[in-house]
Amino acid sequence: MSHPDCRLNLRPLGTPRGVSSVVGPHGVGASPGDKKSKNKSIRGKKKSIFETYMSKEDISEGLKRGTLIQGVLRINPKKFHEAFIPSPDGDRDIFIDGVVARNRALNGDLVVVKLLPEEQWKVIKPESNDKETEGAYELDLPEELCGSHPLQQSVKGCNDSPDVIIEAQFDDSDSEDGHGNTQNVLVDGVKKLSVCVHDKGKENSDTPVTKDESTSMSQDPRALPEKSLQRSAKVVYILEKKHSRAATGFLKLLADKNSELFRKYALFSPSDHRVPRIYVPLKDCPQDFVTRPKDYANTLFICRIVDWKEDSNFALGQLAKSLGQAGEIEPETEGILTEYGVDFSDFSSEVLDCLPQGLPWTIPPEEFSKRRDLRKDCIFTIDPSTARDLDDALSCKPLADGNFEVGVHIADVSYFVPEGSPLDKVAAERATSVYLVQKVVPMLPRLLCEELCSLHPMTDKLTFSVIWTLTPEGKILCEWFGRTIIRSCTKLSYEHAQSMIESPTEKIPEKELPPISPEHTSEEVHRAVLNLHGIAKELRKQRFVDGALRLDQLKLAFTLDHETGLPQGCHIYEYRDSNKRPS
């Protein structure tokens, strides 16, 4: 048991929890082409590990009748054999116990489940105050011992597991690779233990049964109070494969060098333990991988799942590419983006051809007749000092009756994105820009985001505006929506705006402010910022009077080395009045 690939549970590697293992030499799971598998039925066919999916017709009928339930699958990243889907009635989440019950569905997939009989529901205890991850902590035991030695360990307190996974209470490395820390299997303060018990009456049963150790192993769960049971289910169909089926991880040789599998496949171990281990053809691997596997021990690869048979513990995949050394920023970043299906490729020439080709671009004369001209108004942007994509601007004009005309002006991207064009289609597929610590993967080409649509100061720009007439308390008296043309007078940073808020009666020195167009003054901009701040404070106050809930979550900001991109330090991002939302 000192081997690094071993842990306290003695199941062969990759054997789904609560299931009879399909074992080849040295515990390697069955796979495509494993002719020597001993796990065959009388008819000579391999025993299925996973259930065949129900037909579309039966799924449709079951969902209509309410005998089946659909939902998005969530797999516990700390304990990969625990999964959940939301309950349609808003009650406690439905529990899916083990890899077999998950039936080849991956995290995020839209699945259809069938409830298990009540005697197989998860037993929980509602009267504890301790926080714990959803689902009991479990002691993995050899399958031949399951059910034969009930645990009667006395432990203090049990807990009503929350419907949201908060955080594991100890360092659980219960990975599919079998890298587990055996000393953490049973830890002081762990509130629950459960043992898999096979239904001896069903030879081919692959539904694990869990029992809570705080009740007698012979006690019928149906006799327990309703609150102490959590409905359990198994996946019977995957409606939509939301997971990308891609994963980053490492290549390993199979354990048995003499097996037929060894000559055909390598084993891919995903970094994300929610993804199964994958057989990849050796022809996809580097040429010298078999002879020099240690050279690739720290190399990060991307693999895509292409199939997962009912009779195989592991999926079958294709190795997509080698990313580089694990731990380095760029390979790890590319791996994350690929795993989550983020398209970070360069925009094609077909897409870029949809944009105006001649720069600098000027607004066509006909647009002035279609839009409200706000170029003479005092309009400005407030963004982080490093921002290049200035997509919204503000204005606040005092009126003679003491009220204010407040405007929010959004860059009119739609003007440059014709419906149904290649640019429109790629933007729809990307759906959003993805912000990472050190880079942004844009939804639209940078020419559009940072030049054509960015509301740079002292430049005519196309916008869509909302203009309200507001009282000083923020009560809306009038509102207008429409397409506009603006000319921002200055580009303020949050720091600039904050200094104005903190010095309401003092003039900010010109050298501390960015350039301001000659049509407007720093005093005019200062007054507008103070008026917006006053209205925002009133709106926030009213929100809390009306019952708003404030959820403050700390946000880490990182400082990076400009040359290497490596992090130099971090600090808590500070929300101040200049970058709080008014409502």
Side-chain angles (χ1 to χ4, degrees):
M1 295 297 292
S2 62
H3 192 280
D5 273 356
C6 294
R7 56 178 178 171
L8 187 61
N9 74 327
L10 303 182
R11 294 192 305 269
L13 296 184
T15 302
R17 180 180 164 279
V19 141
S20 298
S21 54
V22 182
V23 186
H26 297 279
V28 176
S31 78
D34 184 5
K35 305 295 183 183
K36 298 181 180 180
S37 172
K38 297 178 182 178
N39 188 17
K40 297 182 180 180
S41 70
I42 298 172
R43 297 178 182 175
K45 294 181 180 179
K46 288 183 186 177
K47 176 183 175 182
S48 289
I49 295 167
F50 301 102
E51 286 191 12
T52 303
Y53 295 130
M54 295 176 64
S55 67
K56 291 182 180 180
E57 293 75 16
D58 290 343
I59 290 296
S60 179
E61 181 65 23
L63 290 173
K64 287 178 183 177
R65 295 175 57 186
T67 56
L68 300 177
I69 301 168
Q70 75 176 50
V72 174
L73 185 75
R74 301 189 329 271
I75 301 174
N76 185 341
K78 301 269 186 180
K79 293 184 75 68
F80 72 88
H81 51 72
E82 294 182 351
F84 309 87
I85 68 163
S87 174
D89 54 13
D91 199 359
R92 182 185 300 276
D93 286 355
I94 297 168
F95 182 50
I96 299 167
D97 186 16
V99 176
V100 170
R102 210 151 66 222
N103 203 359
R104 296 163 286 164
L106 299 185
N107 189 63
D109 285 353
L110 181 61
V111 299
V112 177
V113 304
K114 181 179 181 180
L115 290 179
L116 297 174
E118 192 170 323
E119 61 267 19
Q120 295 181 30
W121 291 3
K122 187 176 75 170
V123 180
I124 57 175
K125 293 285 284 183
E127 65 270 11
S128 171
N129 296 323
D130 292 340
K131 291 180 180 179
E132 185 179 323
T133 58
E134 186 164 15
Y137 291 121
E138 298 175 358
L139 178 65
D140 285 330
L141 294 177
E143 300 225 344
E144 59 270 20
L145 296 182
C146 285
S148 59
H149 297 282
L151 291 175
Q152 296 296 337
Q153 175 113 7
S154 174
V155 290
K156 53 185 179 181
C158 289
N159 148 337
D160 181 10
S161 304
D163 282 343
V164 177
I165 296 172
I166 300 172
E167 186 175 353
Q169 297 299 297
F170 59 87
D171 180 19
D172 179 12
S173 309
D174 191 7
S175 74
E176 296 194 51
D177 280 333
H179 296 296
N181 189 342
T182 56
Q183 67 184 6
N184 282 336
V185 172
L186 187 58
V187 177
D188 291 341
V190 172
K191 304 303 182 290
K192 297 173 188 170
L193 302 172
S194 65
V195 182
C196 56
V197 180
H198 289 300
D199 184 348
K200 302 297 183 183
K202 295 182 181 178
E203 183 179 319
N204 292 330
S205 172
D206 48 26
T207 304
V209 180
T210 60
K211 297 280 186 178
D212 192 273
E213 63 83 32
S214 60
T215 65
S216 167
M217 295 296 284
S218 61
Q219 182 173 354
D220 187 346
R222 287 171 292 187
L224 295 170
E226 188 176 340
K227 283 188 178 179
S228 67
L229 289 178
Q230 181 173 15
R231 289 183 295 172
S232 300
K234 62 181 179 181
V235 174
V236 294
Y237 194 76
I238 302 176
L239 277 176
E240 194 171 352
K241 292 182 177 179
K242 291 284 191 179
H243 191 281
S244 67
R245 265 56 187 175
T248 59
F250 301 91
L251 277 180
K252 299 178 181 180
L253 289 174
L254 296 181
D256 184 10
K257 295 183 179 180
N258 298 316
S259 71
E260 184 180 342
L261 286 176
F262 185 88
R263 293 187 291 273
K264 293 183 178 180
Y265 296 102
L267 189 63
F268 180 83
S269 295
S271 303
D272 184 349
H273 298 151
R274 295 172 296 179
V275 181
R277 285 182 293 172
I278 304 167
Y279 284 117
V280 293
L282 284 175
K283 61 181 177 60
D284 289 352
C285 302
Q287 286 185 348
D288 58 346
F289 170 69
V290 174
T291 56
R292 304 180 63 87
K294 290 184 179 179
D295 290 357
Y296 300 92
N298 198 42
T299 302
L300 204 59
F301 292 90
I302 293 177
C303 183
R304 294 186 183 277
I305 293 174
V306 296
D307 197 9
W308 195 352
K309 301 293 186 185
E310 294 171 10
D311 59 4
S312 178
N313 294 324
F314 303 154
L316 184 65
Q318 290 180 340
L319 210 58
K321 65 183 294 189
S322 169
L323 294 173
Q325 290 298 102
E328 293 182 359
I329 287 178
E330 287 308 313
E332 295 282 0
T333 299
E334 184 175 344
I336 290 170
L337 294 173
T338 303
E339 282 187 45
Y340 285 90
V342 177
D343 181 1
F344 56 95
S345 62
D346 294 335
F347 291 98
S348 68
S349 57
E350 183 186 24
V351 168
L352 296 176
D353 287 345
C354 296
L355 297 174
Q357 301 302 304
L359 292 178
W361 178 81
T362 55
I363 298 174
E366 61 267 21
E367 286 300 315
F368 288 89
S369 60
K370 300 176 184 177
R371 295 170 179 264
R372 183 170 171 178
D373 191 345
L374 303 177
R375 288 177 294 168
K376 293 183 179 180
D377 289 9
C378 179
I379 296 174
F380 48 88
T381 59
I382 306 178
D383 289 282
S385 56
T386 57
R388 292 182 294 178
D389 180 3
L390 313 180
D391 53 11
D392 57 78
L394 301 168
S395 60
C396 186
K397 184 191 300 181
L399 302 176
D401 58 4
N403 295 319
F404 297 95
E405 186 179 87
V406 174
V408 175
H409 316 276
I410 308 296
D412 189 359
V413 180
S414 64
Y415 176 86
F416 298 96
V417 185
E419 186 175 359
S421 66
L423 178 58
D424 182 35
K425 290 176 182 176
V426 76
E429 289 168 0
R430 295 194 178 205
T432 183
S433 295
V434 177
Y435 291 83
L436 304 172
V437 171
Q438 83 282 20
K439 66 193 293 185
V440 178
V441 181
M443 179 181 75
L444 294 161
R446 294 192 182 277
L447 172 63
L448 191 150
C449 298
E450 297 176 9
E451 294 293 333
L452 297 171
C453 290
S454 190
L455 306 181
H456 297 303
M458 290 165 266
T459 309
D460 293 354
K461 293 292 181 178
L462 300 176
T463 48
F464 189 93
S465 300
V466 182
I467 299 174
W468 297 277
T469 300
L470 298 173
T471 66
E473 295 74 36
K475 182 181 178 182
I476 297 175
L477 303 177
C478 181
E479 62 186 15
W480 179 88
F481 301 83
R483 285 183 168 80
T484 51
I485 299 175
I486 69 165
R487 187 179 179 87
S488 172
C489 68
T490 188
K491 174 190 173 183
L492 298 180
S493 69
Y494 288 132
E495 291 75 19
H496 294 138
Q498 189 64 33
S499 66
M500 292 178 175
I501 291 169
E502 292 175 355
S503 306
T505 59
E506 301 176 21
K507 180 179 178 181
I508 307 296
E510 297 289 338
K511 62 180 181 181
E512 296 181 14
L513 292 174
I516 298 175
S517 66
E519 293 86 3
H520 302 282
T521 65
S522 60
E523 289 83 4
E524 188 179 2
V525 174
H526 194 164
R527 281 197 307 272
V529 169
L530 292 176
N531 289 333
L532 285 169
H533 175 56
I535 294 169
K537 284 199 301 184
E538 291 295 327
L539 287 171
R540 273 196 293 270
K541 183 172 74 176
Q542 189 58 48
R543 286 183 69 237
F544 288 107
V545 168
D546 293 340
L549 176 66
R550 178 174 173 174
L551 298 172
D552 280 337
Q553 290 184 327
L554 294 180
K555 176 182 175 183
L556 274 181
F558 294 87
T559 54
L560 305 175
D561 184 286
H562 291 296
E563 293 183 3
T564 65
L566 295 172
Q568 294 177 320
C570 63
H571 59 277
I572 303 297
Y573 184 81
E574 186 178 4
Y575 288 97
R576 305 173 77 182
D577 289 331
S578 59
N579 58 346
K580 283 182 181 175
R581 296 189 182 277
S583 59

